Amino acid sequence: MRNVMILVRTDDFHKASIALADLVRYGGMRIRGDPRIIPPALSDWALRIVSGEKPRRKFNVHVVAQVNLPPAKAIGRLTDIHPPAHMLVIPPDTEAWEELMHLWGTFEKLKGFHPPKGTKVELKKRHEKSGG
């Protein structure tokens, strides 16, 4: 299966890490591999290709991660969680996805990001089992 990508555009790496953790914790997504830092120009281009809109503001940090959901589900869950960053789903059938995959190995890995141990639902179940 070709993984959907999520583009995170934000002001700093801390907010990017929080947004990615929110995808796991509240969106029930699993991040595949390591998120990667991409150049702002490539991020702006991907935004234009996928959404058809020009970027409205400049961001300092641009990170892309692969997730385990189909595009429609990923979009639905993104709208539910309101992450602290501008996020965009990049489906596998787009030119932007193809270009990002082509360049994937050249992007620097996002350092210091460790996905949470589980989703909000999983953590609640563990708490209930432990008698909490």
Side-chain angles (χ1 to χ4, degrees):
M1 181 174 117
R2 297 169 67 170
N3 295 319
V4 165
M5 289 187 198
I6 306 283
L7 173 62
V8 179
R9 300 162 50 88
T10 189
D11 297 322
D12 59 58
F13 288 107
H14 179 70
K15 286 182 182 177
S17 291
I18 290 170
L20 291 169
D22 285 352
L23 293 178
V24 176
R25 190 175 293 121
Y26 304 113
M29 298 182 201
R30 180 173 294 133
I31 294 177
R32 304 286 189 178
D34 295 312
R36 305 293 175 119
I37 301 166
I38 67 170
L42 183 58
S43 173
D44 291 348
W45 174 81
L47 178 71
R48 283 193 304 276
I49 292 295
V50 174
S51 72
E53 297 180 17
K54 289 170 38 173
R56 292 191 189 127
R57 74 173 270 226
K58 296 277 184 204
F59 289 100
N60 298 325
V61 173
H62 306 265
V63 175
V64 68
Q66 296 184 45
V67 298
N68 67 329
L69 293 176
K73 278 191 178 181
I75 291 167
R77 292 193 186 171
L78 264 183
T79 58
D80 290 343
I81 64 175
H82 308 292
H86 181 265
M87 300 177 83
L88 177 73
V89 173
I90 301 176
D93 60 351
T94 62
E95 182 183 2
W97 188 93
E98 294 288 344
E99 186 65 20
L100 289 167
M101 283 307 296
H102 177 73
L103 297 171
W104 191 260
T106 66
F107 301 140
E108 181 183 349
K109 292 179 182 179
L110 178 62
K111 294 180 180 98
F113 173 72
H114 303 285
K117 297 293 184 218
T119 66
K120 190 175 182 182
V121 171
E122 289 169 347
L123 293 173
K124 186 177 178 182
K125 284 180 185 177
R126 279 189 218 148
H127 182 70
E128 289 169 355
K129 280 184 180 180
S130 67

